[in-house]
Structure formats: structure tokens, C-alpha cells
Amino acid sequence: MRETRFYLRTALAVAVLLGATLMLGSAGAEEPGPHDELPTFAPRGADTCLTCHDGDPKVMPIFETPHGSLTDARAPLANLQCDACHGPGEDHARRLRPRQDRPPVFAFGQNSRLSREEENDVCLTCHKFQGSTHTHWYGSTHQRQDVACVDCHRIHIAQDPLRDKKSQADVCYQCHTRVRAQSFQPSAHPVRQGLMTCSDCHQAHGTLTEAMLVRPTLNETCYSCHAEKRGPFLWEHAPSVESCANCHEPHGSIHSPMLTRRAPLLCQNCHSRAGHPSIAQTGDRLPGGRPSSFLLAGSCTNCHSQVHGSNHPSGANLSR
Amino acid sequence: MDNKKPTFTPSRLSLGIMIALAAALPANAEQDAEVAEDTPKNAGWMFDPESAFYYWPPAPPADEWDACSLCPDVSGWTGDATVGIGYVSDESAYFGRYTGLDDDGLYFLGSARGRYLGADGKYLDLRAEDVGLDTRSLGVRGGERGRYRAYLNYDRIPGFVAENPRTVFRGVGSTDLTLPADWETATSTGGMGRLDDSLTDIRLGTNRDTLSVGADFFRKRTWEYGIEYRRIEQDGFKTQGASFLTTSSILPMPVDRVTDQIEARVAYLQEDWHAILSYHGSFFSNKADAVTWDNPFTPLTAGADRGRISQEPDNLFHQVMLAGNWRPTARLDTSARMAVGRMQQDDTFLAPTINPTLTTSALPRNDLDGQVDTLTGNLRAVYSAGSRLTFIGEGFYDDRDNKTPRDAFEQVGTDTFVGGTRTNRPYSFERLGGRLTADFRASSNVRLSAGGRAEQVKRTYQEVDKTETTAGWGEIRATPTDRLDMSLRLTREERVLDDPYTALADVIPEENPLLRKFHLASRDRDQIAARLTYMVSDRVNLGVSADYAKDDYDRSQVGLIDARDRAYTMDVSATPRDNLTVSAFYGREQIDSTMASSAGFGVPDWTAGQRDTIDTVGVTLEARDLGKDGFDAGIDYAYSSGKGRITMQTGFPTASLPDLESRLNTVRLFGRYRLSDKLSVRVDYLYERYRSKDFALDDVAPDTIPSVLTLGEESPNYSAHFIGTSLNYRF
């Protein structure tokens, strides 16, 4: 009965939500209207801009990037050129009257007069067509937190650090400072060293999975590299199957291999059968005292070493 | 060892998808040529703040734009190559993990990058890094911009297994570990008379090699295709305990695994909607699927002088996913995803034992015939009710339907005795839930957010059939000035059991009835997160964060009782001059937990508290273009300290456990001097000092634990210097 109520409540909430959003969405639809007074574009396109900016090292490397391609019909340079992102630039390029400030074009990043959302929409004008990577941008954590594309990407240099395996993590660590600290732990994935990237596990443009993981579930994300843990096994370890995060902290830990707590305590959190699982392992069981197989070396895994599951017919207790 | 090999051939379903993808690829180059015609020429964007809508103003044709006479000609080859030599002062497996510098001595240093750009849009990128090291990486990428690209990447990650291990076993690297011919068994490690003479030093490490080959195709703006094949090879060693009832040996186990993966996708893109159909196939193969070893202890029963332990079986996974986005108006964005998958595993079972003196019943089946069907569905709708208010509604469903057959298997306890039968428990899970979020811009400087989440998880064969979790949260974000950004978020979450927690009947001996496993137990969770970023000036930024999380399992008497996590970070970055950057950070995290248990199999009679304290400090300084000849230099220092303190309270006087400790000091220096426009010389220096204490390893020689023959590995401790010099040539 309680289950039925839960389903009914959930279905009702989803129906109301979708109905309301669709109704409001159609009611709020607005068609773009003609604009009488449009700013005008730079009269000679990029040539107008390069009249002054030619040779500027903060500008010119873009010609080495996909954005600076004249042959890619999708690229800004093959369309409205500089104006495609920086807006109509005729006023900016015009000869100034005495004491007149030069009217700015749209700039990005610090001191931009565009809001973060407006900045991003400039990029999304073209990049929304990258269906495989930007499908779930709206509503994602980064979108909701007003992260701008240019907070992470640099497009006027030949090699965007975010797209370089060696330097990507440093970009992410600028905001994810706690994760950076975790990366220094004795047991951590080699992200800080540039042998893995944050984007191996996370899709920063948003996904529908928690923590913007690249696969539909947490465990499937882990199995991308650790397929040996996937099974199914004859004898499964339930918490392992349900979520790797029950025992592991993937950003780093002082307990190898990236465990949330130290064995045997980690295991004793869930195992309290009569006998050795429920015995307290104290400092009396160290070398020099009565060295314990339940505390030292691999602790519980000295015997129960198949903690991710066993396919041995006699492996019910995960020791074969 | 005559296990059936994996079914590597993708299923007919996946084959069909790949054929469909191939059929949908561009038929010929003429079709590609339509790209330009299909794209609005000279189109641009313009933001209308009234309607919050973007449109394409009519830009006048400007033929002269196409010429772009001032655009630089970047066609041709560019790149650079580095050749040098490095020296490492000390040998350490731990230092070598992730650096490839595990041996002392000389190393060749080499890297190169090359890029060809053609005037017709064709390009080729070549990359080789760490050529002389185990961390080597290669990449080739080429194609024609806007039409297609193909790539090949290879990289290796060296891993750490153990520091200075020693073993008595022979045949290390094989799946058959034997003892020396003159080995003398004993009931405890202390009585193994030939132990010291038989120990040999071994080197244990792993390498993970990944090769990926793929291609992407773009047809007009409406079609996008991609396919990738990836092969991951792991080889080397791991350590694993293997037991005979009351005794155990830590074995140097071979690792020889291969995972083949295929990804294929096709996307159809329109102005206001798009859809992506993709396939993911993963095929895992283990060449070392079982290991046999000699029992170094006196066998408890006849025939228990050799044992066999299984390794991970071959398995495969297919998944088809459909994802899409529909944006009917500027105010409404919807996206959805559905993934259907199947995991399979049918490796032939090993025999229940290799003990020839034991008689066992026939296995109920020759292989598991394991199958898990997965179904994941997600929906999200984002609605902007005006310029200030946004609602986000999400629903999710995740089903792991384990269809593996159940059977009773007679258990042979560690190749020693025949015990009773156990029936396997193929676990299934079903998660269903939703989230609703509202973001409200109270003013141009303040945004308020609030939301709630409800989730239900159903499980099979576990102590709790169903749990329900509800959560609510609120957040305020304020930007009182253009330079200051602050946020505070509070979250409250409750997990309740829908049914009584019931200990499993077929677990013998039974679990303490007061135990509540933490992932199934009732739990209250509170979280606080605060952030502040302040742009002190155009050249100085400051960031501070604080996170607090507390889990209460106050209805648990045995098991995890509470957990608490506090983390603080502080960051400063500055560019005092255009050619000088300075940054520093500090972080502290403190993780506490308390558990209770009962040695008397009743009410709790002992507790354990664990506190992990982690401090991290880093400073980076980099200067470029010093002096008129161009000299770059940088220094990077990092310090990280981890301390784990375990406090046992048993009601009796006991010795305390020593703290777990790790301290890492790293200093990196570099200097680069430009000899000419094309040639530069660089000097690198790295010093790393690592100290660690781990009571589980320290002073634990192979014969320290009477019932466990260990590898005598040590806590990693090293000081290593690396110095290298290299020449870089740009072309």
C-alpha cells in the first residue's frame, strides 16, 4: 500500500511538473521580432579588426585553432569572422573624435559587459550543434552556478589547456580546490600527474548522471576502466555491486586503495558475526605483542581477498 | 584451467547498430560540399534582453570578408621537439609510480609535437611525450576541419604495488606458484626453518596500456557520427591473500587482463532539438583466470598442500543509449536519456577444490550463465518563468535486474574440508526518484535557490527490501560587488527503511541482530557548503571554501554510528606583472567516524573512532621573458600531510594503535633559456621526499604474523632527486 502511494505521488509530481512546464513553455513562447536599428558589422570583417590587432599575441593564435579556420563552414572565421563572437564591430573600428572613448566590442571573461549567461549563449549559438557533448548543459551544475565557457576554455591560444591531458586538471582545480587537495593523498588516481583527466569520469558540460559522470551510473563509470570488477559474479558483494562509493573515495584517500576508512574497521562497519569479525583489534595485536592476522598486512583481505566478488564455486565467503 | 574463452563477438544487436551507423555515413564527398550552402552565411547572433531570445540579424553580404587579406597564412608544419637526458638519484617503486622514474640512473627524455595545417582545411597533429619513460604517450590526429577527423592515442600508466617485497614462492609471474624443493612446512611462520634462506627480492608493479582509435564525421550541421575502438591492457602484478582456513599467504599474483571497448554514435541535430543514438560495448578478458599455489603451512587435512584461487572471470557488457534535447522555446529546455544494457558472464567454473582427497557433489551447472539487464532513464526539464525564476524538474530510474540463476553450491572450505551448501544471491536494485529545483534571482546581486529530492531504492536478497530518501536544500548566492561572489548552501537528507531491518537467515554464523549496515541503515545527513571568491584587484584573486557534512545513524547500535567531514580551502592567485604569476593554496580536511560492535554478540561492548586529518599546501611561482634574451623560470612547491588516528575503546586497558602518517614534500624547479628564435635549453629539477608510517606494514616481516606469510613489504619512504636538461627546437 505504501509502495503504491509512493508511485502515485511520484507519478503525480512528474505529471504536474511536466504539464506545467509544457503549458508555461508554450504560453511563454516568443517569436523574434524585426529590429529596426541594428548595429552594423565591421565593414571588412576580420581585415578591419586586424588593421589594429595584427600581430597581437593575445589575438593571432586563434588562426591556428579550429575557430580560425576559413574552410570549416561551422567556424566563426568562415562566417561573421571576429564579429561572430565579439558582436558587430563597426562602431569599435570607427575613427574617433577628439576625447571620444572607443566603443567596446563584446569581450569575455573578467570585466565583460555580458552576463555569464549571455557569454555562454554566444558560444552555444554554434556549440549547441555538438550534440554529443552539450546535450545536457541547461540545468547542469555548471550552468546553474553561472560557470562561463571562458572560465575554463581559452580559445585565442593554439592549444587550450583544458584540452591538454597534462594541464586539464589544473584548470578544474581552480574551482575544485578540495579535489586538488585530495589528489595529493597517498592513494589517488594519477590526475594531478597528468596521466588521467577529470573528463575521463566527468562531463563538465553536464550529463543526467549524478556528479556529471560520463556513464549512466557511478559503477558503470568505474567499470569503464575497471571492467574486471563488473562481473556478474557467482558470489557478489552487495555493497560493491550497489555503489563503488560505499567503500572508495575516488578523489583520494590516505587508505589504499582509495578506501573511505581503514580495514578492519571498514569491514566491521557491516560485519559483526560471532567470532573474529566482531573482535576489537587494538594496539595489543601489533608486532611486539600478539601480531594479528585480522589487523596487519591485508587485515580482513588476508583471507577474504575477493571483496569485489568471486566466481569460484567454493568462494561464498570470498576467500577463493 | 580449461575455461571457456569469452564471447568477444559483439551481439547481433550491437552488430546491427554498427551496420546502421556505417550505412548512415556520408555517401560521398559531394554531399559534404553541401555544408557551406546549408549554413547561414554571414549569420550572427544578437541578444534581445526584452525577449531573452537570440536571433540572426540580416548581415549584408560582404564578399571581401572571405578574402581576409590580413589573416595570417598558418598553413604548413609547425611544432617542436625536445631531446635531453635526466638522472634520478635513488630507486623507489613508490616514486616511480605515475612518474616512470622508479630506477636510479640515467633516463632519455624526449617529446615532440607537430602540426600540419593545409590551406584546404586539412590538418595533422602528432604528439609524443615522455618517450623515454614508462609514462610515455603518443597521439596522432588528423582530418579536415568541419568534415571528419580520425585519431589514434596510446598511453601507459605505471602503477605501484609494493615497496621492497620478498617472497618464498617460485614461478612469480606465472599462475602456478611453488615452494622451493627443500621447503619445510610448519604450523606457524615462526617454525618455517627454510624461510629466511628462501626469501627472494621481487619487483612488483603494473602497467596499464591504453590504445584508442577512432573517427568522427560531420555532415552538414545535422549529422554527426563517431566510432572508437579502445583496448586496455593491464599486466604486471598485484598482491592478494590466499588462505587455508586458519593460515594465509600473501601471494604475488600475475595480472594479465585485456578490455576491448567499442563506442559508436550517430547524432541528428536540428535548431531546437537533437537526438543521439549510441552503442557501448565492453569485453573483458582475463588471461590469468586462476592461480594455484603451494601451502607453506602444515596442511590441516590431507591433500590441503595446494590451493587454487579464482581471478576475475571474463565478462562483457552491451549498452544502447538514446539521448536527446528539445528546446521548444527560449524558456523551456528538456533533455532525456534512456540506456538499455546487458552484462554477461559465462566463464566455465573451476572445480570446487583441487584437493584430491575430498569428494564433492557435482556442480549444479558448468558456468554461471550470469546475466544482468540494466535500464537507466533520466528526464530533465528546465523552465524559465521570466528572467528571474527558473524551475528544474528531474526524474531518474535505474534498474539492475540480475537474472543470474540461483543454485545451491556445495562449499569446500579453502581446499581443506567439505562444508555445507550455499545458494548464490544475485543482487538486483531499482532506484526511482525525482528532483525539483527553483532558482530565483531576487535582484541583480542575489540569487536564491531551493530544491527537494525523493528517492526510493528497492533491493533483493538483502536485509532491507526498500529504503526511501528525501532531501531538501536551500542556497543563497550573492555578488554584492562585481568583485565579490559568496554562496551558502544547506542540505538536509533523511533515509528511512520502508520495511524492518531483517538479518539474513542463510548467513551462518548469523550477524549480530543489532547490526545495521551503513548503506542500508536509517540515516540523517546534514551538509553545509560555503564559498567566497574575491577579486582583490584585476591582478589578485582570493578564494575560500568550507564544507561540512554529518551523517547520523542514530538508530544503529552496531555498525557505523556517525561520520563527519569538514574541509576548508584557501586560494590566492596573482599576476603582479604580465610575465609573472604567483599562486598559493592551503587545504585542511578532517574526516571522523565512529563505529560500535560487540565481541559478546549482544549489545555494543566496544567502539572505534577514526579521525583522518589532511593538510595540503602549495605555492607556485612562474616568470616568463626575463631579461632581453628571454629566460623563463618557475618553482612549484607542494606539501601534503595525512594522519589517521584510530581510537579503540573496549572497556579494558589496551595499547593504542599508532597513527597512520604520510608526508609528501615536492619541489619542482625549471629554467628555460632561449638560445635563438628556434632553439632553447631547459633544466628541470625535482626533489621529492616522502615519509609514511603504517602499522599494518611497519615491522611486519614475512614471519611476524604466525598465521600469515607476508611479503614483508614496507611503508614507502624515499627521498629522490631528479635533474634533467634538454634542448628544444621549434620549427
Side-chain angles (χ1 to χ4, degrees):
Chain A
M1 189 62 192
R2 189 167 178 175
E3 182 179 333
T4 307
R5 280 203 306 273
F6 180 86
Y7 279 124
L8 284 174
R9 284 202 306 267
T10 306
L12 187 63
V14 170
V16 168
L17 177 69
L18 289 178
T21 49
L22 287 172
M23 202 165 60
L24 290 167
S26 54
E30 296 176 36
E31 295 302 322
H35 242 246
D36 295 333
E37 294 184 11
L38 288 173
T40 50
F41 295 92
R44 291 185 298 119
D47 280 349
T48 305
C49 310
L50 291 172
T51 303
C52 296
H53 293 285
D54 192 9
D56 186 341
K58 292 181 179 176
V59 173
M60 300 307 284
I62 198 169
F63 291 102
E64 300 173 45
T65 73
H67 285 112
S69 171
L70 278 165
T71 58
D72 184 352
R74 308 167 305 166
L77 200 67
N79 289 281
L80 279 175
Q81 301 184 346
C82 309
D83 293 11
C85 301
H86 293 286
E90 184 185 34
D91 287 348
H92 176 76
R94 189 170 290 162
R95 186 184 299 275
L96 298 180
R97 294 185 299 274
R99 291 189 297 280
Q100 181 192 8
D101 291 333
R102 184 169 296 284
V105 291
F106 291 141
F108 297 81
Q110 285 184 357
N111 302 322
S112 171
R113 60 192 173 106
L114 296 175
S115 70
R116 296 296 184 88
E117 184 183 0
E118 290 163 357
E119 284 186 27
N120 289 348
D121 279 334
V122 173
C123 307
L124 286 167
T125 301
C126 296
H127 286 281
K128 68 184 175 187
F129 287 102
Q130 280 183 292
S132 54
T133 52
H134 296 76
T135 300
H136 308 297
W137 169 250
Y138 290 104
S140 69
T141 302
H142 281 163
Q143 186 265 330
R144 289 190 54 252
Q145 294 295 326
D146 279 340
V147 175
C149 306
V150 296
D151 287 341
C152 308
H153 290 287
R154 297 180 64 191
I155 64 170
H156 269 276
I157 61 174
Q159 178 65 48
D160 181 1
L162 195 70
R163 295 171 64 83
D164 188 319
K165 196 172 185 176
K166 295 279 187 188
S167 54
Q168 186 193 84
D170 286 335
V171 178
C172 303
Y173 289 159
Q174 287 175 14
C175 294
H176 298 277
T177 51
R178 183 180 178 187
V179 177
R180 174 176 56 196
Q182 290 174 309
S183 74
F184 282 93
Q185 295 313 300
S187 184
H189 283 115
V191 178
R192 173 172 60 88
Q193 294 85 348
L195 303 183
M196 278 182 68
T197 61
C198 306
S199 58
D200 287 342
C201 302
H202 301 281
Q203 165 51 273
H205 301 122
T207 69
L208 296 179
T209 314
E210 56 187 325
M212 297 192 285
L213 294 171
V214 293
R215 305 293 316 169
T217 67
L218 168 70
N219 278 28
E220 286 177 24
T221 304
C222 302
Y223 297 152
S224 297
C225 293
H226 302 284
E228 74 277 7
K229 309 285 193 299
R230 182 170 51 211
F233 298 95
L234 169 59
W235 309 106
E236 295 187 320
H237 193 195
S240 163
V241 174
E242 184 170 339
S243 171
C244 304
N246 276 330
C247 300
H248 295 282
E249 168 49 67
H251 293 126
S253 162
I254 66 171
H255 309 294
S256 181
M258 288 179 261
L259 294 173
T260 54
R261 295 180 185 86
R262 187 76 174 187
L265 299 179
L266 174 63
C267 309
Q268 289 176 317
N269 282 331
C270 292
H271 296 285
S272 188
R273 296 157 69 173
H276 66 267
S278 56
I279 303 295
Q281 300 297 323
T282 69
D284 295 332
R285 311 306 306 274
L286 295 168
R290 292 176 292 125
S292 169
S293 59
F294 307 122
L295 176 68
L296 303 175
S299 183
C300 306
T301 63
N302 286 331
C303 298
H304 307 283
S305 55
Q306 308 278 39
V307 290
H308 297 107
S310 168
N311 208 50
H312 194 296
S314 298
N317 67 355
L318 305 182
S319 64
R320 279 290 185 276
Chain B
M1 296 299 288
D2 55 347
N3 286 357
K4 192 160 60 182
K5 287 293 112 184
T7 311
F8 278 150
T9 309
S11 70
R12 274 183 285 180
L13 176 63
S14 59
L15 197 61
I17 290 168
M18 283 187 284
I19 291 171
L21 290 174
L25 293 177
N28 53 47
E30 283 76 10
Q31 288 176 318
D32 285 350
E34 298 170 20
V35 170
E37 295 170 16
D38 193 56
T39 304
K41 192 66 181 170
N42 289 336
W45 57 271
M46 188 61 60
F47 182 70
D48 183 343
E50 294 300 318
S51 63
F53 205 85
Y54 293 82
Y55 62 91
W56 301 76
D63 294 338
E64 63 270 30
W65 285 15
D66 294 331
C68 191
S69 58
L70 295 179
C71 288
D73 179 11
V74 294
S75 61
W77 279 97
T78 56
D80 67 278
T82 301
V83 177
I85 192 166
Y87 174 77
V88 174
S89 65
D90 297 88
E91 173 186 326
S92 169
Y94 199 71
F95 178 58
R97 68 168 192 160
Y98 309 153
T99 65
L101 302 170
D102 49 342
D103 280 326
D104 55 352
L106 294 173
Y107 286 84
F108 169 74
L109 307 177
S111 64
R113 282 177 187 255
R115 168 173 291 178
Y116 170 79
L117 284 177
D120 54 358
K122 292 190 171 63
Y123 66 98
L124 180 66
D125 286 342
L126 305 172
R127 174 183 57 82
E129 293 170 341
D130 294 348
V131 173
L133 307 177
D134 277 347
T135 51
R136 55 184 169 268
S137 171
L138 300 169
V140 180
R141 177 183 293 262
E144 183 176 348
R145 284 175 173 166
R147 298 198 173 186
Y148 64 90
R149 65 174 168 238
Y151 56 89
L152 181 151
N153 291 309
Y154 162 79
D155 60 59
R156 164 172 282 196
I157 300 177
F160 168 79
V161 176
E163 191 86 345
N164 298 326
R166 294 171 292 160
T167 187
V168 299
F169 289 100
R170 306 295 185 254
V172 173
S174 75
T175 55
D176 187 13
L177 299 172
T178 59
L179 291 165
D182 59 351
W183 181 257
E184 297 169 3
T185 61
T187 56
S188 71
T189 53
M192 295 174 177
R194 302 293 302 163
L195 176 59
D196 288 342
D197 293 340
S198 303
L199 286 170
T200 56
D201 293 337
I202 51 175
R203 295 191 66 164
L204 303 182
T206 57
N207 283 316
R208 174 186 286 267
D209 295 275
T210 304
L211 174 72
S212 53
V213 183
D216 298 298
F217 303 89
F218 313 98
R219 186 181 170 199
K220 304 182 183 178
R221 279 182 182 253
T222 51
W223 289 97
E224 191 179 299
Y225 316 87
I227 189 161
E228 180 182 274
Y229 166 74
R230 179 182 300 173
R231 186 178 184 88
I232 304 171
E233 292 188 4
Q234 294 171 266
D235 65 79
F237 296 91
K238 64 176 182 177
T239 62
Q240 186 172 11
S243 65
F244 286 93
L245 193 58
T246 58
T247 61
S248 174
S249 302
I250 308 299
L251 303 178
M253 305 287 261
V255 172
D256 194 356
R257 306 168 181 151
V258 175
T259 305
D260 293 291
Q261 294 180 355
I262 296 172
E263 305 272 354
R265 73 174 196 285
V266 56
Y268 182 72
L269 310 159
Q270 286 294 303
E271 181 72 24
D272 56 358
W273 70 275
H274 65 257
I276 307 156
L277 178 67
S278 61
Y279 165 77
H280 168 76
S282 174
F283 312 90
F284 170 74
S285 168
N286 194 346
K287 295 177 184 173
D289 47 9
V291 172
T292 306
W293 82 103
D294 288 347
N295 185 359
F297 293 88
T298 305
L300 292 171
T301 60
D305 53 356
R306 279 176 70 73
R308 184 162 67 179
I309 187 168
S310 67
Q311 296 295 282
E312 301 88 348
D314 303 342
N315 68 66
L316 57 85
F317 179 50
H318 300 289
Q319 187 175 60
V320 177
M321 188 154 61
L322 180 63
N325 177 278
W326 179 44
R327 193 173 171 83
T329 75
R331 297 188 183 280
L332 180 64
D333 183 277
T334 59
S335 59
R337 181 186 64 196
M338 188 174 77
V340 181
R342 173 167 291 178
M343 305 175 187
Q344 290 177 306
Q345 191 270 107
D346 58 358
D347 241 14
T348 303
F349 283 138
L350 299 170
T353 181
I354 59 169
N355 187 333
T357 68
L358 298 177
T359 303
T360 59
S361 308
L363 288 170
R365 51 181 53 251
N366 292 325
D367 61 57
L368 182 62
D369 194 20
Q371 179 176 312
V372 175
D373 290 343
T374 62
L375 173 62
T376 310
N378 298 77
L379 284 168
R380 179 191 284 162
V382 183
Y383 176 69
S384 300
S387 59
R388 290 187 165 194
L389 185 60
T390 301
F391 292 105
I392 303 169
E394 293 175 276
F396 53 87
Y397 178 77
D398 175 21
D399 183 34
R400 182 187 197 268
D401 183 8
N402 196 334
K403 294 181 173 173
T404 301
R406 295 193 77 198
D407 288 293
F409 289 80
E410 188 175 50
Q411 296 296 292
V412 178
T414 59
D415 289 297
T416 304
F417 64 96
V418 178
T421 60
R422 291 281 298 273
T423 302
N424 61 314
R425 290 195 286 263
Y427 298 111
S428 293
F429 306 93
E430 186 185 65
R431 284 176 68 234
L432 173 68
R435 272 183 293 264
L436 184 61
T437 305
D439 291 334
F440 177 63
R441 293 188 185 275
S443 70
S444 60
N445 300 329
V446 178
R447 193 187 71 186
L448 303 172
S449 301
R453 180 172 69 90
E455 176 186 298
Q456 171 190 279
V457 182
K458 291 201 282 189
R459 303 169 174 86
T460 62
Y461 306 121
Q462 297 201 59
E463 289 83 349
V464 178
D465 291 336
K466 190 162 70 174
T467 56
E468 290 182 4
T469 304
T470 53
W473 55 269
E475 181 178 357
I476 180 169
R477 182 172 173 185
T479 51
T481 73
D482 288 345
R483 295 178 179 275
L484 183 61
D485 191 340
M486 301 182 294
S487 68
L488 175 68
R489 179 187 172 103
L490 308 176
T491 305
R492 169 75 179 181
E493 180 184 295
E494 292 180 2
R495 184 171 67 198
V496 298
L497 313 188
D498 214 42
D499 302 297
Y501 189 102
T502 308
L504 298 176
D506 58 344
V507 174
I508 302 170
E510 64 180 311
E511 293 281 6
N512 187 322
L514 298 177
L515 171 72
R516 298 292 180 267
K517 296 181 177 179
F518 65 87
H519 65 291
L520 303 173
S522 297
R523 182 186 69 191
D524 294 339
R525 170 173 285 179
D526 293 290
Q527 292 174 293
I528 304 172
R531 302 276 184 281
L532 181 150
T533 57
Y534 180 52
M535 197 163 75
V536 181
S537 71
D538 286 348
R539 291 183 177 274
V540 181
N541 283 289
L542 174 70
V544 178
S545 76
D547 292 273
Y548 173 85
K550 187 171 193 304
D551 290 349
D552 267 330
Y553 300 85
D554 52 9
R555 276 149 281 183
S556 299
Q557 295 186 60
V558 172
L560 189 63
I561 304 300
D562 60 54
R564 191 168 55 176
D565 193 333
R566 286 168 286 185
Y568 316 95
T569 66
M570 190 172 77
D571 273 63
V572 181
S573 63
T575 51
R577 297 205 313 252
D578 286 345
N579 65 340
L580 181 65
T581 57
V582 184
S583 63
F585 65 88
Y586 169 72
R588 161 165 277 222
E589 182 165 14
Q590 194 164 294
I591 306 165
D592 295 281
S593 63
T594 308
M595 66 155 293
S597 189
S598 173
F601 200 66
V603 296
D605 52 24
W606 63 270
T607 63
Q610 183 170 335
R611 166 169 288 186
D612 296 344
T613 307
I614 300 127
D615 292 291
T616 311
V617 179
V619 179
T620 301
L621 189 150
E622 191 165 325
R624 298 192 175 276
D625 298 323
L626 297 171
K628 65 176 183 180
D629 294 325
F631 177 68
D632 305 332
I635 180 169
D636 187 0
Y637 170 73
Y639 168 79
S640 178
S641 162
K643 179 178 287 188
R645 175 163 295 175
I646 296 172
T647 308
M648 305 293 295
Q649 293 189 334
T650 63
F652 300 98
T654 58
S656 57
L657 290 165
D659 289 347
L660 304 158
E661 293 182 21
S662 63
R663 283 197 308 279
L664 173 71
N665 279 278
T666 303
V667 180
R668 289 176 184 272
L669 297 166
F670 84 88
R672 182 172 47 223
Y673 182 73
R674 276 189 282 282
L675 300 170
S676 69
D677 283 347
K678 293 182 179 294
L679 193 64
S680 62
V681 61
R682 176 176 171 129
V683 176
D684 285 276
Y685 171 73
L686 166 66
Y687 171 67
E688 236 179 59
R689 183 175 189 272
Y690 184 76
R691 294 290 180 267
S692 63
K693 293 180 181 175
D694 184 340
F695 60 73
L697 301 177
D698 294 338
D699 303 319
V700 179
D703 60 352
T704 298
I705 311 171
S707 58
V708 183
L709 179 61
T710 72
L711 297 173
E713 60 181 290
E714 302 165 356
S715 299
N717 285 281
Y718 66 84
S719 296
H721 302 263
F722 166 82
I723 187 160
T725 183
S726 56
L727 277 175
N728 176 270
Y729 179 75
R730 287 194 303 125
F731 56 93

